[in-house]
Amino acid sequence: MKSRIHPVSRPVVFRDRAADVAFLTRSTADSGEHVVWEDGNTYPVIDVETSSASHPFYTGGTRVLDTAGRVERFRRRYGTGEAPGGRPNAA
C-alpha cells in the first residue's frame, strides 16, 4: 500500500439528537466540537439526525399504510363503472 494517501482513522463520537444516544466508533470524519466520553477522554463529536437508535427500520416503528384509503382514492380518481364510450370496465 502507498503511504500517506489514506485518511487518518480516529475515535469519533456520533450523537443522535432524536434518540438522545451517542456512539463511540472509529471514523475518518472530524469535527470542531469535542465531548468528554465516559472513559474520561475527549473525542470529536458529530451530530446526526438518524441512527440505528431512531430509524424506524431498526426500532420497529414502521408506518402502517392505509391501503383501503389508497384503493378508495384510486376509485374516486379514475372511477368505477363504465369506461369511456359506454362500455363496462374490465376491472
Side-chain angles (χ1 to χ4, degrees), residues 71 74-83 89 91:
V71 170
F74 177 84
R75 286 185 177 156
R76 270 186 278 131
R77 182 178 293 160
Y78 298 106
T80 57
E82 293 187 3
N89 277 340

Side-chain angles (χ1 to χ4, degrees), residues 12-88:
V12 177
V13 174
F14 286 92
R15 184 171 46 194
D16 183 353
R17 294 281 189 177
D20 197 28
V21 176
F23 304 95
L24 177 64
T25 186
R26 295 193 65 82
S27 177
T28 58
D30 197 10
S31 173
E33 293 184 53
H34 290 79
V35 67
V36 177
W37 189 245
E38 300 162 354
D39 62 3
N41 293 327
T42 302
Y43 299 105
V45 64
I46 297 175
D47 292 323
V48 295
E49 295 179 17
T50 305
S51 71
S52 60
S54 63
H55 194 279
F57 178 79
Y58 295 104
T59 61
T62 57
R63 295 185 305 172
V64 176
L65 296 177
D66 181 19
T67 56
R70 286 183 169 189
V71 170
E72 292 304 318
R73 190 172 40 221
F74 177 84
R75 286 185 177 156
R76 270 186 278 131
R77 182 178 293 160
Y78 298 106
T80 57
E82 293 187 3
R87 297 183 314 262

